[in-house]
Amino acid sequence: MSRVKLLPEILASQVAAGEVVERPASVVKELIENSIDAGAKQIEVRLQRGGLSLIRVIDDGLGMERDDALLALERHATSKISRAEDLAAIRTFGFRGEALPSIASVSRFRLTTREHAAIAGTDIVVNGGRIDAVRDGGEAPGTQVEVRSLFFNVPARRKFLRAEATEARHVEQQFFLQALAHPETGFVLVRDDKVVRQLPPTASLRERIRDLFDASLLADLLEVPARESAIQVSGWIGRAGVSRSTRAQQFLFVNGRAIDNALVTAALREGYHTALMRGQYPVTFLFIALDPREVDVNVHPAKREVRFRDPQKVREAVVSAVERTLRGARDHWQEQFEPPALPQRSPALLSSLPELAPPFPAFPAPAMTPSAAIVPPPSDTDMPSPTRKNAPAFQIIGVLSKLYVLMENAEGLVLVDQHAAHERILFEELRRRMEEQGVPSQRLLLPQILSLPARDAEWVERNAATLRKMGIGIEGFGANTFRLESLPAFLRVPEASIFLRDVIDELRSTARSSSPLRLGEDMIAKTVCRHAVKANDPLRYPEIEKLIADLLACDLPYCCPHGRPTMIQISHLELEKKFGRKV
Ligand code: ADP
Ligand code: MG
């Protein structure tokens, strides 16, 4: 007896809906994308009860004639592709021809549409996939799709819907993605008859970000500088040290399509590298544009995922765009240190100020032997008079809690975390040394023999050259056994073998051993932290001044190698508010 049969059309659509329509937010996504594909300049999204009872999307796009509108409700009916070759270079958001029939099969659905030149439009009512009425209608040119009682006829799916507020949040997130991807289109979001977002069409992404988020976010963002390349990376990203504890503000787009992509996410982190705190996520509004033939969007029914033909090139483009952007912000950042036009105190007075405590040893690494010193220690006397002529481009007021250097600029008060600043300086110095001739290392009095688990042993063998550049001298000494002969000179570790095991554990788990340089950077960042100036090591004035000058000369002075900021600014306005001078 034959048991294989073709699914009835409606059932087939409901099955397809299982992939495309997960929740109200996915309906909103498909409908907005259709509107954009239809050239809409203005899109309104209305929700009742988080979209559970009603979703309505209204656009002023092309509209459809009656036959097309009816056809659009059939499965695999699309105006966007017609040949297999088209699939290889998709330029529209839709192409599967499945959204409208899928949505219509699991809701009470109504499509009202009118072409601009037409006298009358068409109004089609569909219930659970069955067309119930087709008549004249459609007042304004464009298209309106109304979706009521989503999943009313698929109880199994309805059960998976969450509370109204949760669904509304997902819709809002989707709305944000679409609004960011299309600043030139006006958007309105109406929730339970209240206008919650009204976004006029704008000329730039910057204005769209301003309209969507708090305007103060812009101050935390840097524009990715444009560059001629087959893979264009543009948009706005958070300054070094700006981060969030979730990915909610990490927006990624490929050819205007919001995507999730592990490769790009990893590239972003790599670009930020030392400018991001552990466990934090960067803030990005990043747009990647490339030839549509270079990217396959037909991977995922909801098109959240894409596949790149040359992932390595995309990775490199993203990493270098982020690095360039962060480094490019330096000039502006340095300007923040400029003293106000009329200095309040003279440096001469200051030099007598912090007669604080025991003189700080060799600068900058406390435990360093003079021969290995990275920067010559400052003289114990007052600042040499040439220094005086080139007066520093900052004005130090004092030191708070033996930790924060206080400075004054035109904006108000500047605070520098001396520990974070020192870590950054040391990090960049050591990295430079590593790249050039290797970090000076010191022989252990007694070489240590270590036997390691197979996986660690393999890792050490693979990375021995980098470890040596980092000043860790290690040689094979039989199966899975090594002899540790030297350590970086600036380190002071009580137990060399324990230190090495820590290094292995930490570095292996970061999984960033992609390049020896990165591995070395990670290592410096991890070891430097513990050996830089301790929070309350008192520094004397010339040392502080040198610290600030060295910080300003760093590539990425904004944060320590772990992504914590080195400097914060408290403006006059903030102070005035605190003192009640201004409200
Ligand atoms: P796809 O977008 O993959 O082509 P859909 O099922 O979403 O499939 O839509 C089917 C067709 O209906 C589209 O190709 C388009 O021609 C037409 N269409 C859908 N929505 C609109 C709209 N808002 N305005 C004009 N035409 C639309
Ligand atoms: Mg579509």
Side-chain angles (χ1 to χ4, degrees), residues 20-21 56 115 163 220 229-230 284 296 340 470 482 511 540 560 575:
V20 186
V21 190
R56 185 189 291 147
E115 287 184 303
D220 282 343
S229 158
T284 65
D296 186 359
M470 282 306 312
F482 298 87
R540 285 166 312 158
C560 79
L575 291 172

Side-chain angles (χ1 to χ4, degrees), residues 30 34 42 338 435 457 553 581:
E30 294 295 336
N34 278 347
Q42 186 66 38
E338 279 171 19
E435 280 167 41
R581 290 166 172 269

Side-chain angles (χ1 to χ4, degrees), residues 237-253:
I237 62 172
R239 294 175 179 282
V242 171
S243 62
R244 301 286 184 266
S245 57
T246 70
R247 281 180 52 187
Q249 282 189 9
Q250 186 178 309
F251 297 100
L252 290 177
F253 302 84

Side-chain angles (χ1 to χ4, degrees), residues 438-439 441 463-475:
V439 170
S441 90
N463 294 291
T466 309
L467 291 173
R468 271 194 289 278
K469 275 216 134 185
M470 282 306 312
I472 299 183
I474 188 162
E475 299 291 340

Side-chain angles (χ1 to χ4, degrees), residues 34-35 38 59 63-64 72 77-80 94-101 143:
N34 278 347
S35 299
D59 71 50
M64 285 177 270
T78 179
S79 55
K80 299 169 193 174
F95 58 87
R96 298 169 60 99
E98 279 192 327
L100 290 187
T143 301

Side-chain angles (χ1 to χ4, degrees), residues 25 50 67 87 103 116 130 168 187 207 254 279 340 342 350 363 368 444 462 474 482 528 538 560:
D67 289 351
L87 255 192
I103 296 166
H116 284 244
R130 197 164 290 111
F187 283 89
E207 286 167 59
V254 171
L342 279 178
L350 276 164
F363 184 86
M368 218 154 18
L444 298 176
R462 205 156 21 89
I474 188 162
F482 298 87
V528 156
C560 79

